[in-house]
PDB file of all heavy atoms in Angstrom:
ATOM      1  N   ALA A  44       0.820  -1.214   0.000  1.00 98.00           N
ATOM      2  CA  ALA A  44       0.000   0.000   0.000  1.00 98.00           C
ATOM      3  C   ALA A  44       0.853   1.262   0.000  1.00 98.00           C
ATOM      4  O   ALA A  44       0.526   2.242  -0.675  1.00 98.00           O
ATOM      5  CB  ALA A  44      -0.940  -0.007   1.209  1.00 98.00           C
ATOM      6  N   ARG A  45       1.945   1.242   0.739  1.00 98.00           N
ATOM      7  CA  ARG A  45       2.814   2.426   0.800  1.00 98.00           C
ATOM      8  C   ARG A  45       3.446   2.699  -0.558  1.00 98.00           C
ATOM      9  O   ARG A  45       3.521   3.857  -0.999  1.00 98.00           O
ATOM     10  CB  ARG A  45       3.898   2.225   1.852  1.00 98.00           C
ATOM     11  CG  ARG A  45       4.844   3.402   1.980  1.00 98.00           C
ATOM     12  CD  ARG A  45       5.825   3.199   3.123  1.00 98.00           C
ATOM     13  NE  ARG A  45       6.754   4.309   3.223  1.00 98.00           N
ATOM     14  CZ  ARG A  45       7.700   4.411   4.149  1.00 98.00           C
ATOM     15  NH1 ARG A  45       7.828   3.455   5.076  1.00 98.00           N
ATOM     16  NH2 ARG A  45       8.517   5.448   4.179  1.00 98.00           N
ATOM     17  N   SER A  46       3.891   1.646  -1.243  1.00 98.00           N
ATOM     18  CA  SER A  46       4.493   1.802  -2.560  1.00 98.00           C
ATOM     19  C   SER A  46       3.490   2.391  -3.546  1.00 98.00           C
ATOM     20  O   SER A  46       3.826   3.294  -4.328  1.00 98.00           O
ATOM     21  CB  SER A  46       4.986   0.439  -3.059  1.00 98.00           C
ATOM     22  OG  SER A  46       5.482   0.528  -4.377  1.00 98.00           O
ATOM     23  N   VAL A  47       2.259   1.913  -3.506  1.00 98.00           N
ATOM     24  CA  VAL A  47       1.215   2.422  -4.403  1.00 98.00           C
ATOM     25  C   VAL A  47       0.929   3.892  -4.113  1.00 98.00           C
ATOM     26  O   VAL A  47       0.841   4.719  -5.030  1.00 98.00           O
ATOM     27  CB  VAL A  47      -0.064   1.574  -4.267  1.00 98.00           C
ATOM     28  CG1 VAL A  47      -1.208   2.199  -5.058  1.00 98.00           C
ATOM     29  CG2 VAL A  47       0.185   0.139  -4.732  1.00 98.00           C
ATOM     30  N   THR A  48       0.813   4.240  -2.833  1.00 98.00           N
ATOM     31  CA  THR A  48       0.526   5.627  -2.449  1.00 98.00           C
ATOM     32  C   THR A  48       1.664   6.557  -2.846  1.00 98.00           C
ATOM     33  O   THR A  48       1.426   7.669  -3.344  1.00 98.00           O
ATOM     34  CB  THR A  48       0.289   5.712  -0.933  1.00 98.00           C
ATOM     35  OG1 THR A  48      -0.844   4.911  -0.583  1.00 98.00           O
ATOM     36  CG2 THR A  48       0.030   7.153  -0.503  1.00 98.00           C
ATOM     37  N   GLU A  49       2.894   6.109  -2.643  1.00 98.00           N
ATOM     38  CA  GLU A  49       4.052   6.948  -2.990  1.00 98.00           C
ATOM     39  C   GLU A  49       4.102   7.221  -4.491  1.00 98.00           C
ATOM     40  O   GLU A  49       4.411   8.335  -4.919  1.00 98.00           O
ATOM     41  CB  GLU A  49       5.341   6.282  -2.525  1.00 98.00           C
ATOM     42  CG  GLU A  49       5.526   6.320  -1.008  1.00 98.00           C
ATOM     43  CD  GLU A  49       6.784   5.615  -0.547  1.00 98.00           C
ATOM     44  OE1 GLU A  49       7.411   4.897  -1.373  1.00 98.00           O
ATOM     45  OE2 GLU A  49       7.150   5.761   0.637  1.00 98.00           O
ATOM     46  N   LEU A  50       3.769   6.221  -5.294  1.00 98.00           N
ATOM     47  CA  LEU A  50       3.776   6.454  -6.733  1.00 98.00           C
ATOM     48  C   LEU A  50       2.642   7.393  -7.135  1.00 98.00           C
ATOM     49  O   LEU A  50       2.829   8.279  -7.978  1.00 98.00           O
ATOM     50  CB  LEU A  50       3.658   5.139  -7.499  1.00 98.00           C
ATOM     51  CG  LEU A  50       3.644   5.295  -9.022  1.00 98.00           C
ATOM     52  CD1 LEU A  50       4.916   5.991  -9.511  1.00 98.00           C
ATOM     53  CD2 LEU A  50       3.474   3.956  -9.711  1.00 98.00           C
ATOM     54  N   ALA A  51       1.471   7.229  -6.538  1.00 98.00           N
ATOM     55  CA  ALA A  51       0.360   8.123  -6.833  1.00 98.00           C
ATOM     56  C   ALA A  51       0.734   9.568  -6.499  1.00 98.00           C
ATOM     57  O   ALA A  51       0.437  10.494  -7.274  1.00 98.00           O
ATOM     58  CB  ALA A  51      -0.880   7.696  -6.052  1.00 98.00           C
ATOM     59  N   ASP A  52       1.393   9.770  -5.365  1.00 98.00           N
ATOM     60  CA  ASP A  52       1.826  11.118  -4.972  1.00 98.00           C
ATOM     61  C   ASP A  52       2.843  11.679  -5.972  1.00 98.00           C
ATOM     62  O   ASP A  52       2.804  12.863  -6.321  1.00 98.00           O
ATOM     63  CB  ASP A  52       2.439  11.094  -3.574  1.00 98.00           C
ATOM     64  CG  ASP A  52       1.416  10.828  -2.489  1.00 98.00           C
ATOM     65  OD1 ASP A  52       0.205  10.973  -2.756  1.00 98.00           O
ATOM     66  OD2 ASP A  52       1.829  10.463  -1.363  1.00 98.00           O
ATOM     67  N   ARG A  53       3.740  10.812  -6.427  1.00 98.00           N
ATOM     68  CA  ARG A  53       4.756  11.260  -7.396  1.00 98.00           C
ATOM     69  C   ARG A  53       4.108  11.670  -8.706  1.00 98.00           C
ATOM     70  O   ARG A  53       4.455  12.716  -9.281  1.00 98.00           O
ATOM     71  CB  ARG A  53       5.774  10.143  -7.631  1.00 98.00           C
ATOM     72  CG  ARG A  53       6.787  10.467  -8.714  1.00 98.00           C
ATOM     73  CD  ARG A  53       7.835   9.380  -8.875  1.00 98.00           C
ATOM     74  NE  ARG A  53       8.689   9.652 -10.021  1.00 98.00           N
ATOM     75  CZ  ARG A  53       9.745   8.923 -10.357  1.00 98.00           C
ATOM     76  NH1 ARG A  53      10.082   7.864  -9.622  1.00 98.00           N
ATOM     77  NH2 ARG A  53      10.476   9.233 -11.426  1.00 98.00           N
ATOM     78  N   LEU A  54       3.162  10.878  -9.177  1.00 98.00           N
ATOM     79  CA  LEU A  54       2.479  11.213 -10.427  1.00 98.00           C
ATOM     80  C   LEU A  54       1.698  12.511 -10.295  1.00 98.00           C
ATOM     81  O   LEU A  54       1.640  13.327 -11.227  1.00 98.00           O
ATOM     82  CB  LEU A  54       1.550  10.079 -10.840  1.00 98.00           C
ATOM     83  CG  LEU A  54       2.215   8.773 -11.274  1.00 98.00           C
ATOM     84  CD1 LEU A  54       1.163   7.734 -11.623  1.00 98.00           C
ATOM     85  CD2 LEU A  54       3.132   9.002 -12.448  1.00 98.00           C
ATOM     86  N   GLU A  55       1.095  12.710  -9.142  1.00 98.00           N
ATOM     87  CA  GLU A  55       0.350  13.945  -8.887  1.00 98.00           C
ATOM     88  C   GLU A  55       1.281  15.156  -8.997  1.00 98.00           C
ATOM     89  O   GLU A  55       0.949  16.158  -9.655  1.00 98.00           O
ATOM     90  CB  GLU A  55      -0.276  13.889  -7.499  1.00 98.00           C
ATOM     91  CG  GLU A  55      -0.915  15.182  -7.023  1.00 98.00           C
ATOM     92  CD  GLU A  55      -2.168  15.538  -7.799  1.00 98.00           C
ATOM     93  OE1 GLU A  55      -3.010  14.642  -8.007  1.00 98.00           O
ATOM     94  OE2 GLU A  55      -2.283  16.711  -8.205  1.00 98.00           O
ATOM     95  N   LYS A  56       2.445  15.061  -8.378  1.00 98.00           N
ATOM     96  CA  LYS A  56       3.373  16.187  -8.355  1.00 98.00           C
ATOM     97  C   LYS A  56       4.024  16.417  -9.710  1.00 98.00           C
ATOM     98  O   LYS A  56       4.217  17.571 -10.128  1.00 98.00           O
ATOM     99  CB  LYS A  56       4.455  15.940  -7.299  1.00 98.00           C
ATOM    100  CG  LYS A  56       3.938  15.962  -5.870  1.00 98.00           C
ATOM    101  CD  LYS A  56       5.022  15.556  -4.884  1.00 98.00           C
ATOM    102  CE  LYS A  56       4.481  15.479  -3.469  1.00 98.00           C
ATOM    103  NZ  LYS A  56       5.506  14.973  -2.509  1.00 98.00           N
ATOM    104  N   GLU A  57       4.399  15.345 -10.402  1.00 98.00           N
ATOM    105  CA  GLU A  57       5.181  15.480 -11.624  1.00 98.00           C
ATOM    106  C   GLU A  57       4.331  15.646 -12.883  1.00 98.00           C
ATOM    107  O   GLU A  57       4.786  16.262 -13.855  1.00 98.00           O
ATOM    108  CB  GLU A  57       6.106  14.275 -11.793  1.00 98.00           C
ATOM    109  CG  GLU A  57       7.172  14.183 -10.699  1.00 98.00           C
ATOM    110  CD  GLU A  57       8.115  13.006 -10.907  1.00 98.00           C
ATOM    111  OE1 GLU A  57       7.956  12.268 -11.908  1.00 98.00           O
ATOM    112  OE2 GLU A  57       9.018  12.824 -10.069  1.00 98.00           O
ATOM    113  N   HIS A  58       3.119  15.099 -12.880  1.00 97.00           N
ATOM    114  CA  HIS A  58       2.322  15.109 -14.105  1.00 97.00           C
ATOM    115  C   HIS A  58       0.899  15.652 -13.915  1.00 97.00           C
ATOM    116  O   HIS A  58       0.328  16.202 -14.847  1.00 97.00           O
ATOM    117  CB  HIS A  58       2.249  13.698 -14.697  1.00 97.00           C
ATOM    118  CG  HIS A  58       3.596  13.112 -14.999  1.00 97.00           C
ATOM    119  ND1 HIS A  58       4.375  13.552 -16.032  1.00 97.00           N
ATOM    120  CD2 HIS A  58       4.298  12.117 -14.381  1.00 97.00           C
ATOM    121  CE1 HIS A  58       5.506  12.853 -16.064  1.00 97.00           C
ATOM    122  NE2 HIS A  58       5.484  11.979 -15.080  1.00 97.00           N
ATOM    123  N   GLY A  59       0.315  15.434 -12.762  1.00 98.00           N
ATOM    124  CA  GLY A  59      -1.023  15.955 -12.497  1.00 98.00           C
ATOM    125  C   GLY A  59      -2.149  15.186 -13.150  1.00 98.00           C
ATOM    126  O   GLY A  59      -3.324  15.531 -12.988  1.00 98.00           O
ATOM    127  N   ARG A  60      -1.809  14.137 -13.895  1.00 98.00           N
ATOM    128  CA  ARG A  60      -2.827  13.311 -14.534  1.00 98.00           C
ATOM    129  C   ARG A  60      -2.190  11.984 -14.942  1.00 98.00           C
ATOM    130  O   ARG A  60      -0.964  11.844 -14.934  1.00 98.00           O
ATOM    131  CB  ARG A  60      -3.408  13.990 -15.771  1.00 98.00           C
ATOM    132  CG  ARG A  60      -2.502  13.984 -16.982  1.00 98.00           C
ATOM    133  CD  ARG A  60      -3.149  14.573 -18.219  1.00 98.00           C
ATOM    134  NE  ARG A  60      -2.456  14.181 -19.434  1.00 98.00           N
ATOM    135  CZ  ARG A  60      -1.361  14.762 -19.914  1.00 98.00           C
ATOM    136  NH1 ARG A  60      -0.821  15.784 -19.270  1.00 98.00           N
ATOM    137  NH2 ARG A  60      -0.802  14.317 -21.038  1.00 98.00           N
ATOM    138  N   LEU A  61      -3.047  11.044 -15.329  1.00 98.00           N
ATOM    139  CA  LEU A  61      -2.581   9.789 -15.920  1.00 98.00           C
ATOM    140  C   LEU A  61      -3.526   9.464 -17.060  1.00 98.00           C
ATOM    141  O   LEU A  61      -4.745   9.492 -16.898  1.00 98.00           O
ATOM    142  CB  LEU A  61      -2.582   8.655 -14.885  1.00 98.00           C
ATOM    143  CG  LEU A  61      -2.107   7.288 -15.394  1.00 98.00           C
ATOM    144  CD1 LEU A  61      -0.630   7.344 -15.785  1.00 98.00           C
ATOM    145  CD2 LEU A  61      -2.330   6.208 -14.337  1.00 98.00           C
ATOM    146  N   ASP A  62      -2.966   9.156 -18.228  1.00 98.00           N
ATOM    147  CA  ASP A  62      -3.786   8.888 -19.408  1.00 98.00           C
ATOM    148  C   ASP A  62      -4.026   7.400 -19.643  1.00 98.00           C
ATOM    149  O   ASP A  62      -5.105   7.025 -20.111  1.00 98.00           O
ATOM    150  CB  ASP A  62      -3.134   9.502 -20.642  1.00 98.00           C
ATOM    151  CG  ASP A  62      -2.992  11.005 -20.518  1.00 98.00           C
ATOM    152  OD1 ASP A  62      -4.033  11.684 -20.416  1.00 98.00           O
ATOM    153  OD2 ASP A  62      -1.847  11.498 -20.495  1.00 98.00           O
ATOM    154  N   VAL A  63      -3.041   6.587 -19.341  1.00 98.00           N
ATOM    155  CA  VAL A  63      -3.166   5.150 -19.580  1.00 98.00           C
ATOM    156  C   VAL A  63      -2.572   4.387 -18.409  1.00 98.00           C
ATOM    157  O   VAL A  63      -1.441   4.665 -17.988  1.00 98.00           O
ATOM    158  CB  VAL A  63      -2.451   4.720 -20.882  1.00 98.00           C
ATOM    159  CG1 VAL A  63      -2.558   3.207 -21.069  1.00 98.00           C
ATOM    160  CG2 VAL A  63      -3.008   5.449 -22.083  1.00 98.00           C
ATOM    161  N   LEU A  64      -3.338   3.415 -17.907  1.00 98.00           N
ATOM    162  CA  LEU A  64      -2.846   2.485 -16.892  1.00 98.00           C
ATOM    163  C   LEU A  64      -2.938   1.081 -17.460  1.00 98.00           C
ATOM    164  O   LEU A  64      -4.030   0.627 -17.833  1.00 98.00           O
ATOM    165  CB  LEU A  64      -3.683   2.585 -15.610  1.00 98.00           C
ATOM    166  CG  LEU A  64      -3.447   1.475 -14.568  1.00 98.00           C
ATOM    167  CD1 LEU A  64      -2.012   1.482 -14.070  1.00 98.00           C
ATOM    168  CD2 LEU A  64      -4.434   1.621 -13.405  1.00 98.00           C
ATOM    169  N   VAL A  65      -1.811   0.394 -17.528  1.00 98.00           N
ATOM    170  CA  VAL A  65      -1.781  -1.005 -17.948  1.00 98.00           C
ATOM    171  C   VAL A  65      -1.435  -1.842 -16.721  1.00 98.00           C
ATOM    172  O   VAL A  65      -0.297  -1.830 -16.245  1.00 98.00           O
ATOM    173  CB  VAL A  65      -0.760  -1.245 -19.073  1.00 98.00           C
ATOM    174  CG1 VAL A  65      -0.763  -2.728 -19.473  1.00 98.00           C
ATOM    175  CG2 VAL A  65      -1.066  -0.372 -20.287  1.00 98.00           C
ATOM    176  N   ASN A  66      -2.436  -2.533 -16.195  1.00 98.00           N
ATOM    177  CA  ASN A  66      -2.238  -3.411 -15.031  1.00 98.00           C
ATOM    178  C   ASN A  66      -1.690  -4.751 -15.521  1.00 98.00           C
ATOM    179  O   ASN A  66      -2.431  -5.698 -15.773  1.00 98.00           O
ATOM    180  CB  ASN A  66      -3.563  -3.618 -14.291  1.00 98.00           C
ATOM    181  CG  ASN A  66      -3.875  -2.495 -13.335  1.00 98.00           C
ATOM    182  OD1 ASN A  66      -3.005  -2.020 -12.606  1.00 98.00           O
ATOM    183  ND2 ASN A  66      -5.119  -2.040 -13.335  1.00 98.00           N
ATOM    184  N   ASN A  67      -0.365  -4.797 -15.659  1.00 96.00           N
ATOM    185  CA  ASN A  67       0.290  -5.968 -16.221  1.00 96.00           C
ATOM    186  C   ASN A  67       0.934  -6.862 -15.167  1.00 96.00           C
ATOM    187  O   ASN A  67       1.098  -8.068 -15.406  1.00 96.00           O
ATOM    188  CB  ASN A  67       1.349  -5.516 -17.234  1.00 96.00           C
ATOM    189  CG  ASN A  67       2.234  -6.650 -17.677  1.00 96.00           C
ATOM    190  OD1 ASN A  67       1.834  -7.508 -18.457  1.00 96.00           O
ATOM    191  ND2 ASN A  67       3.466  -6.678 -17.165  1.00 96.00           N
ATOM    192  N   ALA A  68       1.311  -6.306 -14.021  1.00 96.00           N
ATOM    193  CA  ALA A  68       2.009  -7.104 -13.007  1.00 96.00           C
ATOM    194  C   ALA A  68       1.195  -8.346 -12.663  1.00 96.00           C
ATOM    195  O   ALA A  68      -0.006  -8.258 -12.398  1.00 96.00           O
ATOM    196  CB  ALA A  68       2.244  -6.266 -11.753  1.00 96.00           C
ATOM    197  N   GLY A  69       1.847  -9.487 -12.703  1.00 94.00           N
ATOM    198  CA  GLY A  69       1.132 -10.732 -12.439  1.00 94.00           C
ATOM    199  C   GLY A  69       2.039 -11.782 -11.841  1.00 94.00           C
ATOM    200  O   GLY A  69       3.274 -11.682 -11.893  1.00 94.00           O
ATOM    201  N   HIS A  70       1.402 -12.809 -11.279  1.00 94.00           N
ATOM    202  CA  HIS A  70       2.152 -13.870 -10.617  1.00 94.00           C
ATOM    203  C   HIS A  70       1.521 -15.208 -10.965  1.00 94.00           C
ATOM    204  O   HIS A  70       0.293 -15.329 -11.050  1.00 94.00           O
ATOM    205  CB  HIS A  70       2.110 -13.645  -9.098  1.00 94.00           C
ATOM    206  CG  HIS A  70       2.860 -14.661  -8.302  1.00 94.00           C
ATOM    207  ND1 HIS A  70       4.119 -15.116  -8.644  1.00 94.00           N
ATOM    208  CD2 HIS A  70       2.533 -15.319  -7.153  1.00 94.00           C
ATOM    209  CE1 HIS A  70       4.527 -16.002  -7.746  1.00 94.00           C
ATOM    210  NE2 HIS A  70       3.580 -16.150  -6.852  1.00 94.00           N
ATOM    211  N   PHE A  71       2.379 -16.193 -11.212  1.00 89.00           N
ATOM    212  CA  PHE A  71       1.912 -17.553 -11.492  1.00 89.00           C
ATOM    213  C   PHE A  71       2.745 -18.541 -10.693  1.00 89.00           C
ATOM    214  O   PHE A  71       3.966 -18.422 -10.621  1.00 89.00           O
ATOM    215  CB  PHE A  71       2.049 -17.879 -12.984  1.00 89.00           C
ATOM    216  CG  PHE A  71       1.735 -19.323 -13.311  1.00 89.00           C
ATOM    217  CD1 PHE A  71       0.425 -19.720 -13.507  1.00 89.00           C
ATOM    218  CD2 PHE A  71       2.741 -20.274 -13.393  1.00 89.00           C
ATOM    219  CE1 PHE A  71       0.123 -21.047 -13.792  1.00 89.00           C
ATOM    220  CE2 PHE A  71       2.451 -21.597 -13.679  1.00 89.00           C
ATOM    221  CZ  PHE A  71       1.133 -21.988 -13.878  1.00 89.00           C
ATOM    222  N   ARG A  72       2.052 -19.500 -10.071  1.00 89.00           N
ATOM    223  CA  ARG A  72       2.731 -20.632  -9.454  1.00 89.00           C
ATOM    224  C   ARG A  72       1.895 -21.864  -9.711  1.00 89.00           C
ATOM    225  O   ARG A  72       0.737 -21.928  -9.304  1.00 89.00           O
ATOM    226  CB  ARG A  72       2.914 -20.409  -7.954  1.00 89.00           C
ATOM    227  CG  ARG A  72       4.163 -21.114  -7.435  1.00 89.00           C
ATOM    228  CD  ARG A  72       4.582 -20.620  -6.081  1.00 89.00           C
ATOM    229  NE  ARG A  72       3.907 -21.363  -5.030  1.00 89.00           N
ATOM    230  CZ  ARG A  72       3.551 -20.863  -3.873  1.00 89.00           C
ATOM    231  NH1 ARG A  72       3.751 -19.595  -3.626  1.00 89.00           N
ATOM    232  NH2 ARG A  72       2.960 -21.603  -2.969  1.00 89.00           N
ATOM    233  N   GLY A  73       2.463 -22.795 -10.439  1.00 87.00           N
ATOM    234  CA  GLY A  73       1.714 -23.979 -10.823  1.00 87.00           C
ATOM    235  C   GLY A  73       1.486 -24.934  -9.667  1.00 87.00           C
ATOM    236  O   GLY A  73       2.394 -25.208  -8.885  1.00 87.00           O
ATOM    237  N   ALA A  74       0.271 -25.425  -9.561  1.00 92.00           N
ATOM    238  CA  ALA A  74      -0.084 -26.452  -8.569  1.00 92.00           C
ATOM    239  C   ALA A  74      -1.405 -27.063  -8.999  1.00 92.00           C
ATOM    240  O   ALA A  74      -2.281 -26.364  -9.518  1.00 92.00           O
ATOM    241  CB  ALA A  74      -0.208 -25.862  -7.165  1.00 92.00           C
ATOM    242  N   THR A  75      -1.555 -28.348  -8.783  1.00 91.00           N
ATOM    243  CA  THR A  75      -2.821 -28.988  -9.108  1.00 91.00           C
ATOM    244  C   THR A  75      -3.910 -28.468  -8.176  1.00 91.00           C
ATOM    245  O   THR A  75      -3.617 -27.878  -7.126  1.00 91.00           O
ATOM    246  CB  THR A  75      -2.723 -30.507  -8.963  1.00 91.00           C
ATOM    247  OG1 THR A  75      -2.502 -30.828  -7.578  1.00 91.00           O
ATOM    248  CG2 THR A  75      -1.583 -31.077  -9.806  1.00 91.00           C
ATOM    249  N   ALA A  76      -5.155 -28.717  -8.561  1.00 92.00           N
ATOM    250  CA  ALA A  76      -6.272 -28.259  -7.734  1.00 92.00           C
ATOM    251  C   ALA A  76      -6.181 -28.845  -6.327  1.00 92.00           C
ATOM    252  O   ALA A  76      -6.392 -28.135  -5.333  1.00 92.00           O
ATOM    253  CB  ALA A  76      -7.598 -28.641  -8.389  1.00 92.00           C
ATOM    254  N   VAL A  77      -5.856 -30.121  -6.219  1.00 93.00           N
ATOM    255  CA  VAL A  77      -5.826 -30.750  -4.892  1.00 93.00           C
ATOM    256  C   VAL A  77      -4.638 -30.284  -4.075  1.00 93.00           C
ATOM    257  O   VAL A  77      -4.642 -30.399  -2.832  1.00 93.00           O
ATOM    258  CB  VAL A  77      -5.824 -32.289  -5.005  1.00 93.00           C
ATOM    259  CG1 VAL A  77      -7.126 -32.785  -5.615  1.00 93.00           C
ATOM    260  CG2 VAL A  77      -4.629 -32.794  -5.802  1.00 93.00           C
TER     261      VAL A  77
END
């Protein structure tokens, strides 16, 4: 949460807006259902 808030604050100060957000970060770990 702190990392997300710090980036939001930085974008506010440096750009004042955001035009495109690509939520690409992802995680995979293989395991059977059981």
Side-chain angles (χ1 to χ4, degrees):
R45 180 175 178 178
S46 175
V47 173
T48 299
E49 288 178 348
L50 179 59
D52 291 343
R53 175 177 173 176
L54 292 179
E55 172 69 46
K56 292 174 184 175
E57 295 182 1
H58 302 288
R60 75 176 198 278
L61 180 65
D62 299 298
V63 178
L64 169 62
V65 180
N66 277 317
N67 170 75
H70 181 44
F71 173 84
R72 210 164 88 213
T75 65
V77 295

